[in-house]
Amino acid sequence: MTTELKDDVETTRDGATLLVRFARPAKKNALTIAMYERLNAALAEAAADPGVRAVVFGSTSETFTAGNDLGDFMQDPPTGESSPVFRFIAALAAFEKPLLAAVDGKAIGVGLTMLLHCDFVYATERASFVTPFVNLGLVPEAGSSLLLPRLLGHVRAAEMLLLGQPISAGQAHAWGLVNALLPPDEVLPRALATAKLLSERAPTALKLSKRLMKDSAALKARMSEEGALFVERLQSAEVAEAIGAFFEKRTPDFSKL
């Protein structure tokens, strides 16, 4: 077993499983551009290595991830599909091998939408899930505007995407967002155990079966549409107000916009 910590992302090779953990606890594992670049590299290496049969995402602390580090994000916002954040999302959607997640604590923004591209998601009973895009003057990303309505139905997806309010681990489990709720000391072992089972399955059959379960063309088209609108929204007065309010620790006022 080998572990490497680089750019606040910890990677561990455990047999045929690559464990990728967010490791920026002082900032609630908020993702920076450097972290996205490391995640992209890890996924590319895992995709190219026939010895890696599954990838498990987790965290080294009691927060899965608070989403994007807004200060870092707004200094170098995404401008197109070549941006690190969009490349990460595209890599998740295109990844042929099984993806799993062990979620503890908050999963905010991309911390939730990335789970929609995972094949197995295990969470602690204290986990919570938030999609705050509209609250920030933005639109959904990572295909979530397509995937969440399909998974949850329109009204539940609207509750998540339009209101942007947290949902509990219990709700997430009842709605089918996660496979199982577990105590904190059991969630990662369960994900790793499932990854081991998957590594014992026929690898090509797994890839083909995963491909058949997805509507890749529709997902790619929706992600492209979301991405273009997301980049456009970053220049809007609504985003300026929302981000300003975030850093000033106040409620945004969209009444005049």
Side-chain angles (χ1 to χ4, degrees):
M1 186 181 298
T2 58
T3 298
E4 180 183 15
L5 177 61
K6 182 179 179 181
D7 294 325
D8 297 316
V9 175
E10 180 186 276
T11 56
T12 302
R13 180 67 178 271
D14 184 3
T17 299
L18 179 67
L19 172 60
V20 180
R21 297 206 286 177
F22 307 125
R24 197 181 178 219
K27 296 294 184 178
K28 298 182 180 179
N29 294 328
L31 301 177
T32 62
I33 298 299
M35 291 175 74
Y36 278 120
E37 292 287 20
R38 179 63 192 130
L39 291 167
N40 288 328
L43 284 175
E45 292 164 10
D49 186 348
V52 174
R53 298 292 186 90
V55 173
V56 175
F57 289 104
S59 64
T60 61
S61 60
E62 294 179 5
T63 298
F64 184 64
T65 171
N68 289 312
D69 181 313
L70 289 181
D72 181 82
F73 187 79
M74 295 308 293
Q75 285 183 13
D76 188 15
T79 56
E81 293 181 355
S82 63
S83 298
V85 58
F86 287 160
R87 285 192 286 112
F88 174 62
I89 290 167
L92 290 174
F95 200 74
E96 294 185 319
K97 302 175 185 181
L99 292 171
L100 304 89
V103 180
D104 190 13
K106 294 180 179 180
I108 300 174
V110 70
L112 178 281
T113 58
M114 68 177 287
L115 302 179
L116 302 177
H117 299 280
C118 291
D119 305 292
F120 295 84
V121 179
Y122 301 102
T124 64
E125 293 148 337
R126 63 190 177 193
S128 63
F129 305 85
V130 190
T131 48
F133 306 111
V134 168
N135 298 353
L136 293 170
L138 295 167
V139 295
E141 35 98 289
S144 57
S145 65
L146 175 72
L147 297 174
L148 276 174
R150 285 185 175 182
L151 177 63
L152 307 181
H154 178 83
V155 295
R156 285 175 172 171
E159 188 171 339
M160 292 193 68
L161 292 174
L162 303 186
L163 286 178
Q165 294 179 337
I167 68 166
S168 68
Q171 282 179 292
H173 184 233
W175 290 0
L177 283 169
V178 302
N179 292 82
L181 300 182
L182 301 160
D185 61 346
E186 295 181 19
V187 66
L188 181 58
R190 173 69 72 85
L192 292 172
T194 301
K196 186 175 186 302
L197 286 175
L198 291 165
S199 73
E200 297 166 355
R201 301 298 191 264
T204 302
L206 270 181
K207 290 179 184 179
L208 293 173
S209 297
K210 177 171 175 172
R211 183 188 304 171
L212 289 167
M213 293 169 66
K214 300 174 67 174
D215 187 349
S216 299
L219 179 59
K220 185 176 181 180
R222 180 59 59 86
M223 288 171 60
S224 178
E225 183 180 6
E226 287 176 342
L229 289 171
F230 196 99
V231 169
E232 180 183 303
R233 294 299 304 159
L234 285 171
Q235 307 303 316
S236 70
E238 290 178 351
V239 168
E241 168 60 18
I243 299 300
F246 175 83
F247 286 113
E248 294 166 12
K249 301 185 185 304
R250 61 176 174 82
T251 301
D253 181 6
F254 300 119
S255 62
K256 297 179 181 179
L257 301 178

